[in-house]
Structure formats: structure tokens, C-alpha cells
Amino acid sequence: NTAGTVHFDLGAACSVAEPWVCHPTTTAGDVATIKFKATGTGTATISFNSGTVVAAIGATTNVGILGASKSITINGGGGGTATIPFKIKFEGITGSGHHNKQVRMIVRSGATEIARVENIDVAPDSSGIYAGTATVNGITSGQTYDVLIKDSAHLQKKFTGVTLVTGTNPVKDFSAIAELKAGDLAGASLSDPSDNRVDGTDVAKLLQKFDILGTVPAGTSEDLDDSGKVDGFDMKLLLNNFDMLGGGDQ
């Protein structure tokens, strides 16, 4: 689970009727192996609930008490670091005068997530194409990956067969392949991800900000075309992608 918590019970094998007889092991060894998936390099803490007791089932004495919390250092695993300059296009945003955004990038090899980078700054050029740079670890140089990109107002888009190398990569121009479809507003931010679907919840969020005469602050998610207001153009973009059953790429 994403919280990194594990619940398990340990005990010795005992008889199922009186007289109660337990047969604990008489040799030292491992009683459980737990594997954690690292999400990055740094220091992590493994902690046990205070006073956690390991007791033999049916016995009147404790076998032992689990140890104190431990800090572990996570070093970079297999593969190296890749710097990925990239370009992307958001549906509804064209021309100049637009504001910076932040996106999330996920790199996968098959079904295995290799890296996840949050809050990557991207800036627009005069034609509305956004550019940014992501740094990811765990890359095998020359291997192809799936790259998934999302922001807080658009459906996630997957770009397949992306060849990455360690070090600095050539610019990956995803904007020339496909744009991120507009309207996924259900999440408050990238750290509170939406459901990757455009449905009634998104319509309701946009209507809360809908005002054809007023203006909204820069970066307002409901301002899908980044015009400075939430109006009929934004609603049209959202409704074009309305699909209660479908959604963005996974």
C-alpha cells in the first residue's frame, strides 16, 4: 500500500485441544521477510508499533518484543540518471501570453514503474507549446520506456516507445505526437490526483468558477484555455472530453 504499512501475526504451532502443547522453533532464523519498494534515494525509517509483542499461541509467556525503529539509507538502484528535456501541448492553449504550469511524469517499463517525478515546471513558447526538464533515476541506457504526463486540469497521456539514455537526452517533442486533453479537474492538485476522467464532478467544479464577465487568477485549473476567465470556451473543451466510463491513459 502507498502508506507503507504492514500488518501480520506470528505464533508457534500448537495443538487444537487440551492438553495445550506448543512447538516453537528451537533454532534462530527469520520469521518473516518484508520487501519495500523504494520511491527514491535518501533516508527512510522503519518503525514498529510501541510495545508490539510476539507471543506463542496458547502459551503464557512472550517469545519476544519487536525491536526499536531503524533508519536505513536507500542508495540508487540499478540503472543511471537521465535528464529528459521535453515539450508538450495542452488542448485549448494556443498562441502567446500564457502562464507556466506544473506536470507529473511517470516512466514505466512494461507494468513496472521506474520513476515518478512530481511538480515539473513547464513554460510556454510563443505558440503555446510548453517545455520542461525532468530528471529520473533507474534508467537503463538505450532502453525504451512508456512516459506518462499529466497536469491538474488535463487527462493523463501515455507516450510509448520512448528511448532514454543516461545523462542528457535529446529533446523529446511529445507535442508533435499528441496533446493532453482538457477537463480533468476533480483533483485539487497533482499531489491530490484526480480520477483521470472527465465526468459530472468536473462539470460541477467548472461551474463553480464560471463567470463570463469576471476574471480568475493565473493558474486557475478551471481556466482550461488560460484566457484569464472561466467561460463557455472552457466548458466546451470540457464537454468535448466528457466520458463517465472512459478516461486518460493508464
Side-chain angles (χ1 to χ4, degrees):
N1 58 68
T2 56
T5 57
V6 179
H7 302 273
F8 60 92
D9 298 314
L10 299 173
C14 299
S15 59
V16 296
E18 294 185 4
W20 305 110
V21 178
C22 295
H23 306 282
T25 180
T26 57
T27 59
D30 297 332
V31 294
T33 300
I34 303 171
K35 294 183 178 180
F36 294 91
K37 179 181 177 182
T39 58
T41 59
T43 301
T45 300
I46 297 177
S47 59
F48 299 97
N49 289 342
S50 177
T52 301
V53 175
V54 179
I57 298 175
T60 59
T61 59
N62 297 327
V63 175
I65 298 177
L66 294 179
S69 301
K70 298 290 184 181
S71 292
I72 58 174
T73 300
I74 303 171
N75 297 314
T81 300
T83 300
I84 311 170
F86 63 95
K87 294 181 179 181
I88 52 172
K89 179 169 177 29
F90 299 100
E91 182 185 27
I93 296 181
T94 59
S96 60
H98 296 292
H99 301 91
N100 292 0
K101 289 178 169 287
Q102 288 189 326
V103 300
R104 176 184 66 217
M105 177 184 288
I106 299 172
V107 178
R108 290 191 191 142
S109 177
T112 302
E113 183 174 311
I114 303 299
R116 176 182 293 246
V117 186
E118 305 279 356
N119 302 322
I120 305 168
D121 293 319
V122 292
D125 63 14
S126 59
S127 63
I129 303 297
Y130 283 71
T133 301
T135 300
V136 301
N137 298 314
I139 297 300
T140 300
S141 195
Q143 183 172 318
T144 58
Y145 297 90
D146 294 334
V147 175
L148 299 92
I149 299 178
K150 190 184 190 318
D151 82 331
S152 60
H154 293 74
L155 294 168
Q156 183 165 266
K157 183 62 185 176
K158 178 166 68 175
F159 302 92
T160 61
V162 181
T163 301
L164 299 176
V165 297
T166 54
T168 301
N169 284 258
V171 175
K172 305 299 181 183
D173 189 0
F174 301 126
S175 69
I177 301 173
E179 61 186 5
L180 276 64
K181 296 296 185 181
D184 184 22
L185 302 170
S189 66
L190 283 173
S191 61
D192 177 22
S194 56
D195 56 8
N196 203 25
R197 180 179 295 127
V198 180
D199 56 18
T201 303
D202 304 295
V203 174
K205 285 201 68 173
L206 192 145
L207 287 174
Q208 289 176 355
K209 298 286 182 69
F210 192 90
D211 184 352
I212 61 174
L213 299 178
T215 59
V216 293
T220 299
S221 295
E222 292 81 359
D223 182 13
L224 296 173
D225 61 359
D226 197 26
S227 65
K229 60 177 62 179
V230 179
D231 56 16
F233 292 102
D234 302 297
M235 182 61 76
K236 180 180 179 181
L237 283 168
L238 187 152
L239 293 178
N240 283 343
N241 298 314
F242 188 92
D243 187 347
M244 296 179 62
L245 301 178
D249 295 335
Q250 302 288 344

Short mmCIF file of all heavy atoms in Angstrom, two decimals, residues 146-204:
data_model
loop_
_atom_site.label_atom_id
_atom_site.label_comp_id
_atom_site.label_asym_id
_atom_site.label_seq_id
_atom_site.Cartn_x
_atom_site.Cartn_y
_atom_site.Cartn_z
N ASP A 146 7.69 3.66 -21.51
CA ASP A 146 6.46 4.44 -21.65
C ASP A 146 6.58 5.65 -20.73
O ASP A 146 6.98 5.51 -19.56
CB ASP A 146 5.23 3.62 -21.23
CG ASP A 146 4.97 2.45 -22.17
OD1 ASP A 146 5.39 2.53 -23.34
OD2 ASP A 146 4.38 1.46 -21.72
N VAL A 147 6.24 6.82 -21.24
CA VAL A 147 6.30 8.05 -20.47
C VAL A 147 4.88 8.60 -20.37
O VAL A 147 4.23 8.84 -21.40
CB VAL A 147 7.24 9.08 -21.11
CG1 VAL A 147 7.19 10.41 -20.36
CG2 VAL A 147 8.67 8.54 -21.16
N LEU A 148 4.39 8.81 -19.16
CA LEU A 148 3.04 9.32 -18.92
C LEU A 148 3.15 10.70 -18.30
O LEU A 148 3.90 10.90 -17.34
CB LEU A 148 2.25 8.40 -18.02
CG LEU A 148 2.02 6.97 -18.54
CD1 LEU A 148 3.11 6.04 -18.07
CD2 LEU A 148 0.66 6.44 -18.11
N ILE A 149 2.38 11.66 -18.83
CA ILE A 149 2.44 13.04 -18.37
C ILE A 149 1.03 13.53 -18.05
O ILE A 149 0.08 13.25 -18.79
CB ILE A 149 3.10 13.95 -19.42
CG1 ILE A 149 4.54 13.49 -19.69
CG2 ILE A 149 3.10 15.41 -18.97
CD1 ILE A 149 5.26 14.29 -20.76
N LYS A 150 0.91 14.28 -16.96
CA LYS A 150 -0.38 14.82 -16.54
C LYS A 150 -0.20 16.13 -15.78
O LYS A 150 0.81 16.32 -15.12
CB LYS A 150 -1.10 13.81 -15.63
CG LYS A 150 -2.56 14.20 -15.35
CD LYS A 150 -3.22 13.26 -14.39
CE LYS A 150 -4.72 13.53 -14.33
NZ LYS A 150 -5.07 14.97 -14.31
N ASP A 151 -1.19 17.01 -15.90
CA ASP A 151 -1.24 18.18 -15.03
C ASP A 151 -2.57 18.16 -14.29
O ASP A 151 -3.31 17.17 -14.35
CB ASP A 151 -1.03 19.49 -15.82
CG ASP A 151 -2.30 19.99 -16.49
OD1 ASP A 151 -3.16 19.15 -16.84
OD2 ASP A 151 -2.43 21.21 -16.67
N SER A 152 -2.88 19.22 -13.56
CA SER A 152 -4.06 19.22 -12.68
C SER A 152 -5.36 19.52 -13.41
O SER A 152 -6.42 19.58 -12.76
CB SER A 152 -3.87 20.23 -11.55
OG SER A 152 -3.70 21.54 -12.09
N ALA A 153 -5.33 19.71 -14.72
CA ALA A 153 -6.56 20.04 -15.44
C ALA A 153 -6.75 19.22 -16.71
O ALA A 153 -7.72 19.43 -17.43
CB ALA A 153 -6.58 21.53 -15.80
N HIS A 154 -5.83 18.32 -17.00
CA HIS A 154 -5.88 17.55 -18.24
C HIS A 154 -5.75 16.06 -17.96
O HIS A 154 -5.16 15.66 -16.96
CB HIS A 154 -4.76 18.00 -19.20
CG HIS A 154 -4.93 19.39 -19.70
ND1 HIS A 154 -4.69 20.50 -18.91
CD2 HIS A 154 -5.32 19.88 -20.91
CE1 HIS A 154 -4.92 21.60 -19.60
NE2 HIS A 154 -5.31 21.25 -20.82
N LEU A 155 -6.28 15.27 -18.86
CA LEU A 155 -6.16 13.82 -18.76
C LEU A 155 -4.72 13.38 -18.97
O LEU A 155 -3.97 14.01 -19.73
CB LEU A 155 -7.06 13.14 -19.79
CG LEU A 155 -8.57 13.33 -19.61
CD1 LEU A 155 -9.32 12.87 -20.85
CD2 LEU A 155 -9.06 12.58 -18.37
N GLN A 156 -4.36 12.32 -18.31
CA GLN A 156 -3.01 11.77 -18.47
C GLN A 156 -2.83 11.23 -19.88
O GLN A 156 -3.72 10.61 -20.44
CB GLN A 156 -2.78 10.66 -17.45
CG GLN A 156 -1.40 10.06 -17.46
CD GLN A 156 -1.15 9.24 -16.21
OE1 GLN A 156 -0.60 9.74 -15.23
NE2 GLN A 156 -1.57 7.98 -16.21
N LYS A 157 -1.64 11.44 -20.44
CA LYS A 157 -1.32 10.95 -21.78
C LYS A 157 -0.08 10.09 -21.71
O LYS A 157 0.92 10.45 -21.09
CB LYS A 157 -1.10 12.12 -22.74
CG LYS A 157 -0.83 11.68 -24.19
CD LYS A 157 -2.01 10.92 -24.76
CE LYS A 157 -1.72 10.37 -26.15
NZ LYS A 157 -2.84 9.54 -26.66
N LYS A 158 -0.16 8.91 -22.36
CA LYS A 158 0.98 7.99 -22.39
C LYS A 158 1.65 8.04 -23.76
O LYS A 158 1.00 7.91 -24.78
CB LYS A 158 0.52 6.57 -22.08
CG LYS A 158 1.66 5.54 -22.15
CD LYS A 158 1.26 4.21 -21.53
CE LYS A 158 0.21 3.50 -22.32
NZ LYS A 158 -0.07 2.15 -21.74
N PHE A 159 2.96 8.20 -23.74
CA PHE A 159 3.77 8.18 -24.95
C PHE A 159 4.63 6.93 -24.90
O PHE A 159 5.43 6.74 -23.98
CB PHE A 159 4.63 9.44 -25.04
CG PHE A 159 3.82 10.71 -25.03
CD1 PHE A 159 3.56 11.37 -23.84
CD2 PHE A 159 3.30 11.23 -26.20
CE1 PHE A 159 2.80 12.54 -23.82
CE2 PHE A 159 2.53 12.40 -26.21
CZ PHE A 159 2.28 13.05 -25.00
N THR A 160 4.45 6.05 -25.86
CA THR A 160 5.09 4.74 -25.83
C THR A 160 6.37 4.71 -26.66
O THR A 160 6.57 5.54 -27.55
CB THR A 160 4.13 3.65 -26.34
OG1 THR A 160 3.78 3.94 -27.70
CG2 THR A 160 2.86 3.62 -25.50
N GLY A 161 7.21 3.72 -26.37
CA GLY A 161 8.41 3.51 -27.15
C GLY A 161 9.40 4.66 -27.11
O GLY A 161 10.05 4.96 -28.12
N VAL A 162 9.54 5.28 -25.94
CA VAL A 162 10.45 6.42 -25.79
C VAL A 162 11.83 5.89 -25.38
O VAL A 162 11.98 5.31 -24.29
CB VAL A 162 9.93 7.42 -24.75
CG1 VAL A 162 10.89 8.60 -24.63
CG2 VAL A 162 8.53 7.89 -25.12
N THR A 163 12.82 6.06 -26.22
CA THR A 163 14.17 5.60 -25.92
C THR A 163 14.88 6.63 -25.05
O THR A 163 14.94 7.81 -25.38
CB THR A 163 14.98 5.37 -27.21
OG1 THR A 163 14.31 4.40 -28.02
CG2 THR A 163 16.38 4.88 -26.88
N LEU A 164 15.39 6.16 -23.92
CA LEU A 164 16.08 7.03 -22.97
C LEU A 164 17.51 6.54 -22.76
O LEU A 164 17.78 5.34 -22.80
CB LEU A 164 15.36 7.08 -21.63
CG LEU A 164 13.92 7.62 -21.64
CD1 LEU A 164 13.31 7.52 -20.25
CD2 LEU A 164 13.89 9.06 -22.13
N VAL A 165 18.41 7.48 -22.52
CA VAL A 165 19.80 7.16 -22.21
C VAL A 165 20.16 7.86 -20.91
O VAL A 165 19.51 8.83 -20.50
CB VAL A 165 20.76 7.60 -23.33
CG1 VAL A 165 20.45 6.85 -24.62
CG2 VAL A 165 20.68 9.11 -23.56
N THR A 166 21.18 7.36 -20.23
CA THR A 166 21.67 8.05 -19.06
C THR A 166 22.38 9.32 -19.50
O THR A 166 22.87 9.42 -20.63
CB THR A 166 22.63 7.16 -18.25
OG1 THR A 166 23.67 6.69 -19.12
CG2 THR A 166 21.88 5.96 -17.68
N GLY A 167 22.42 10.31 -18.61
CA GLY A 167 22.94 11.61 -19.00
C GLY A 167 21.83 12.44 -19.61
O GLY A 167 20.63 12.20 -19.39
N THR A 168 22.20 13.41 -20.41
CA THR A 168 21.22 14.32 -21.02
C THR A 168 20.71 13.75 -22.34
O THR A 168 21.49 13.41 -23.23
CB THR A 168 21.83 15.70 -21.26
OG1 THR A 168 22.28 16.25 -20.01
CG2 THR A 168 20.80 16.65 -21.87
N ASN A 169 19.41 13.66 -22.45
CA ASN A 169 18.76 13.13 -23.65
C ASN A 169 18.47 14.25 -24.65
O ASN A 169 18.34 15.42 -24.26
CB ASN A 169 17.45 12.45 -23.28
CG ASN A 169 17.65 11.09 -22.65
OD1 ASN A 169 17.48 10.07 -23.30
ND2 ASN A 169 18.01 11.08 -21.37
N PRO A 170 18.32 13.90 -25.93
CA PRO A 170 17.79 14.88 -26.88
C PRO A 170 16.37 15.27 -26.47
O PRO A 170 15.70 14.53 -25.74
CB PRO A 170 17.77 14.10 -28.21
CG PRO A 170 18.67 12.93 -28.00
CD PRO A 170 18.61 12.60 -26.54
N VAL A 171 15.91 16.41 -26.91
CA VAL A 171 14.57 16.88 -26.56
C VAL A 171 13.52 15.88 -27.07
O VAL A 171 13.54 15.48 -28.23
CB VAL A 171 14.30 18.27 -27.16
CG1 VAL A 171 12.85 18.68 -26.89
CG2 VAL A 171 15.27 19.29 -26.59
N LYS A 172 12.64 15.47 -26.17
CA LYS A 172 11.53 14.60 -26.54
C LYS A 172 10.32 15.48 -26.84
O LYS A 172 9.70 16.03 -25.94
CB LYS A 172 11.22 13.62 -25.40
CG LYS A 172 12.41 12.79 -24.95
CD LYS A 172 12.96 11.92 -26.05
CE LYS A 172 14.14 11.09 -25.58
NZ LYS A 172 14.74 10.29 -26.68
N ASP A 173 10.00 15.62 -28.12
CA ASP A 173 8.93 16.53 -28.53
C ASP A 173 7.60 15.79 -28.55
O ASP A 173 7.10 15.37 -29.59
CB ASP A 173 9.23 17.13 -29.90
CG ASP A 173 8.25 18.25 -30.25
OD1 ASP A 173 7.35 18.54 -29.43
OD2 ASP A 173 8.38 18.82 -31.36
N PHE A 174 7.01 15.61 -27.37
CA PHE A 174 5.72 14.94 -27.27
C PHE A 174 4.61 15.78 -27.88
O PHE A 174 3.55 15.25 -28.25
CB PHE A 174 5.41 14.62 -25.80
CG PHE A 174 6.42 13.74 -25.13
CD1 PHE A 174 7.03 14.14 -23.95
CD2 PHE A 174 6.79 12.52 -25.67
CE1 PHE A 174 7.97 13.34 -23.32
CE2 PHE A 174 7.73 11.69 -25.05
CZ PHE A 174 8.32 12.12 -23.87
N SER A 175 4.83 17.09 -28.00
CA SER A 175 3.79 17.96 -28.57
C SER A 175 3.51 17.63 -30.02
O SER A 175 2.42 17.92 -30.53
CB SER A 175 4.20 19.43 -28.44
OG SER A 175 5.29 19.73 -29.29
N ALA A 176 4.48 17.03 -30.70
CA ALA A 176 4.30 16.67 -32.11
C ALA A 176 3.54 15.36 -32.26
O ALA A 176 3.17 14.99 -33.38
CB ALA A 176 5.66 16.57 -32.78
N ILE A 177 3.32 14.65 -31.14
CA ILE A 177 2.65 13.35 -31.20
C ILE A 177 1.18 13.48 -30.81
O ILE A 177 0.29 13.00 -31.52
CB ILE A 177 3.35 12.35 -30.26
CG1 ILE A 177 4.82 12.19 -30.67
CG2 ILE A 177 2.64 11.00 -30.27
CD1 ILE A 177 5.64 11.35 -29.71
N ALA A 178 0.92 14.09 -29.68
CA ALA A 178 -0.47 14.23 -29.20
C ALA A 178 -0.52 15.30 -28.12
O ALA A 178 0.49 15.63 -27.51
CB ALA A 178 -0.99 12.90 -28.65
N GLU A 179 -1.71 15.85 -27.89
CA GLU A 179 -1.89 16.85 -26.84
C GLU A 179 -2.61 16.23 -25.66
O GLU A 179 -3.29 15.19 -25.78
CB GLU A 179 -2.70 18.03 -27.37
CG GLU A 179 -4.10 17.68 -27.86
CD GLU A 179 -4.81 18.86 -28.51
OE1 GLU A 179 -4.19 19.92 -28.66
OE2 GLU A 179 -6.00 18.70 -28.85
N LEU A 180 -2.45 16.84 -24.50
CA LEU A 180 -3.16 16.40 -23.31
C LEU A 180 -4.57 16.97 -23.35
O LEU A 180 -4.76 18.18 -23.46
CB LEU A 180 -2.44 16.87 -22.04
CG LEU A 180 -1.28 16.00 -21.53
CD1 LEU A 180 -0.13 15.98 -22.52
CD2 LEU A 180 -0.81 16.47 -20.16
N LYS A 181 -5.57 16.10 -23.29
CA LYS A 181 -6.96 16.51 -23.41
C LYS A 181 -7.45 17.21 -22.14
O LYS A 181 -7.12 16.81 -21.01
CB LYS A 181 -7.85 15.29 -23.70
CG LYS A 181 -7.55 14.62 -25.04
CD LYS A 181 -7.85 15.55 -26.19
CE LYS A 181 -7.67 14.88 -27.54
NZ LYS A 181 -7.95 15.81 -28.67
N ALA A 182 -8.25 18.25 -22.32
CA ALA A 182 -8.65 19.13 -21.21
C ALA A 182 -9.87 18.61 -20.47
O ALA A 182 -10.70 17.89 -21.03
CB ALA A 182 -8.92 20.53 -21.75
N GLY A 183 -9.99 19.01 -19.18
CA GLY A 183 -11.24 18.83 -18.45
C GLY A 183 -11.19 18.02 -17.18
O GLY A 183 -12.19 17.95 -16.46
N ASP A 184 -10.06 17.39 -16.86
CA ASP A 184 -10.00 16.56 -15.66
C ASP A 184 -9.64 17.43 -14.47
O ASP A 184 -8.47 17.67 -14.17
CB ASP A 184 -8.96 15.46 -15.85
CG ASP A 184 -8.92 14.50 -14.67
OD1 ASP A 184 -9.92 14.42 -13.95
OD2 ASP A 184 -7.89 13.82 -14.49
N LEU A 185 -10.67 17.91 -13.75
CA LEU A 185 -10.49 18.90 -12.68
C LEU A 185 -10.73 18.34 -11.29
O LEU A 185 -10.62 19.07 -10.31
CB LEU A 185 -11.47 20.06 -12.89
CG LEU A 185 -11.37 20.80 -14.23
CD1 LEU A 185 -12.55 21.75 -14.36
CD2 LEU A 185 -10.06 21.55 -14.32
N ALA A 186 -11.04 17.05 -11.16
CA ALA A 186 -11.53 16.52 -9.89
C ALA A 186 -10.50 16.57 -8.78
O ALA A 186 -10.85 16.65 -7.61
CB ALA A 186 -12.01 15.08 -10.07
N GLY A 187 -9.20 16.54 -9.09
CA GLY A 187 -8.18 16.62 -8.06
C GLY A 187 -7.83 18.07 -7.78
O GLY A 187 -7.84 18.92 -8.66
N ALA A 188 -7.50 18.36 -6.53
CA ALA A 188 -7.16 19.74 -6.17
C ALA A 188 -5.79 20.13 -6.70
O ALA A 188 -5.50 21.30 -6.94
CB ALA A 188 -7.19 19.90 -4.65
N SER A 189 -4.91 19.13 -6.86
CA SER A 189 -3.56 19.40 -7.33
C SER A 189 -2.95 18.08 -7.77
O SER A 189 -3.56 17.02 -7.65
CB SER A 189 -2.70 20.02 -6.23
OG SER A 189 -2.51 19.09 -5.19
N LEU A 190 -1.70 18.13 -8.27
CA LEU A 190 -1.03 16.89 -8.66
C LEU A 190 -0.77 16.00 -7.45
O LEU A 190 -0.71 14.78 -7.57
CB LEU A 190 0.29 17.21 -9.37
CG LEU A 190 0.15 17.67 -10.82
CD1 LEU A 190 1.49 18.11 -11.38
CD2 LEU A 190 -0.44 16.57 -11.69
N SER A 191 -0.60 16.59 -6.27
CA SER A 191 -0.38 15.79 -5.07
C SER A 191 -1.68 15.19 -4.55
O SER A 191 -1.67 14.31 -3.70
CB SER A 191 0.27 16.64 -3.98
OG SER A 191 -0.56 17.73 -3.63
N ASP A 192 -2.82 15.69 -5.05
CA ASP A 192 -4.13 15.14 -4.73
C ASP A 192 -4.77 14.77 -6.06
O ASP A 192 -5.65 15.45 -6.57
CB ASP A 192 -4.98 16.18 -3.98
CG ASP A 192 -6.37 15.67 -3.69
OD1 ASP A 192 -6.56 14.45 -3.67
OD2 ASP A 192 -7.27 16.51 -3.49
N PRO A 193 -4.30 13.67 -6.65
CA PRO A 193 -4.62 13.40 -8.05
C PRO A 193 -6.10 13.21 -8.32
O PRO A 193 -6.85 12.72 -7.48
CB PRO A 193 -3.84 12.11 -8.34
CG PRO A 193 -3.64 11.48 -7.01
CD PRO A 193 -3.50 12.61 -6.04
N SER A 194 -6.51 13.65 -9.51
CA SER A 194 -7.89 13.48 -9.93
C SER A 194 -8.09 12.04 -10.37
O SER A 194 -7.20 11.21 -10.32
CB SER A 194 -8.19 14.45 -11.06
OG SER A 194 -7.27 14.24 -12.11
N ASP A 195 -9.31 11.74 -10.84
CA ASP A 195 -9.62 10.36 -11.21
C ASP A 195 -9.28 10.06 -12.65
O ASP A 195 -9.60 8.99 -13.16
CB ASP A 195 -11.09 10.07 -10.93
CG ASP A 195 -12.03 11.05 -11.64
OD1 ASP A 195 -11.54 11.87 -12.45
OD2 ASP A 195 -13.24 11.00 -11.39
N ASN A 196 -8.61 11.01 -13.33
CA ASN A 196 -8.19 10.79 -14.72
C ASN A 196 -9.39 10.51 -15.62
O ASN A 196 -9.33 9.67 -16.51
CB ASN A 196 -7.16 9.66 -14.80
CG ASN A 196 -6.30 9.74 -16.06
OD1 ASN A 196 -6.11 10.80 -16.64
ND2 ASN A 196 -5.78 8.60 -16.48
N ARG A 197 -10.46 11.23 -15.34
CA ARG A 197 -11.70 11.07 -16.11
C ARG A 197 -12.42 12.40 -16.12
O ARG A 197 -12.32 13.18 -15.18
CB ARG A 197 -12.57 9.99 -15.45
CG ARG A 197 -13.90 9.75 -16.15
CD ARG A 197 -14.70 8.66 -15.44
NE ARG A 197 -14.01 7.38 -15.52
CZ ARG A 197 -13.73 6.61 -14.47
NH1 ARG A 197 -14.08 7.00 -13.25
NH2 ARG A 197 -13.12 5.47 -14.62
N VAL A 198 -13.14 12.68 -17.19
CA VAL A 198 -13.94 13.90 -17.27
C VAL A 198 -15.40 13.52 -17.12
O VAL A 198 -15.98 12.88 -18.01
CB VAL A 198 -13.69 14.65 -18.60
CG1 VAL A 198 -14.53 15.93 -18.65
CG2 VAL A 198 -12.22 14.98 -18.77
N ASP A 199 -16.00 13.89 -15.99
CA ASP A 199 -17.37 13.49 -15.71
C ASP A 199 -18.11 14.62 -14.99
O ASP A 199 -17.69 15.78 -15.00
CB ASP A 199 -17.41 12.19 -14.92
CG ASP A 199 -16.60 12.27 -13.62
OD1 ASP A 199 -16.31 13.39 -13.16
OD2 ASP A 199 -16.27 11.21 -13.05
N GLY A 200 -19.21 14.27 -14.34
CA GLY A 200 -20.04 15.28 -13.70
C GLY A 200 -19.34 16.06 -12.61
O GLY A 200 -19.64 17.24 -12.39
N THR A 201 -18.41 15.43 -11.92
CA THR A 201 -17.67 16.13 -10.87
C THR A 201 -16.86 17.28 -11.46
O THR A 201 -16.78 18.37 -10.87
CB THR A 201 -16.73 15.15 -10.14
OG1 THR A 201 -17.50 14.06 -9.61
CG2 THR A 201 -15.99 15.84 -9.01
N ASP A 202 -16.29 17.06 -12.63
CA ASP A 202 -15.50 18.11 -13.28
C ASP A 202 -16.40 19.24 -13.78
O ASP A 202 -16.04 20.42 -13.68
CB ASP A 202 -14.72 17.50 -14.45
CG ASP A 202 -13.83 16.35 -14.00
OD1 ASP A 202 -12.90 16.59 -13.23
OD2 ASP A 202 -14.10 15.21 -14.41
N VAL A 203 -17.55 18.89 -14.29
CA VAL A 203 -18.51 19.92 -14.73
C VAL A 203 -18.90 20.80 -13.54
O VAL A 203 -18.93 22.03 -13.64
CB VAL A 203 -19.76 19.27 -15.35
CG1 VAL A 203 -20.82 20.34 -15.65
CG2 VAL A 203 -19.41 18.51 -16.62
N ALA A 204 -19.16 20.17 -12.40
CA ALA A 204 -19.57 20.92 -11.21
C ALA A 204 -18.46 21.87 -10.76
O ALA A 204 -18.72 23.01 -10.37
CB ALA A 204 -19.93 19.95 -10.09
#
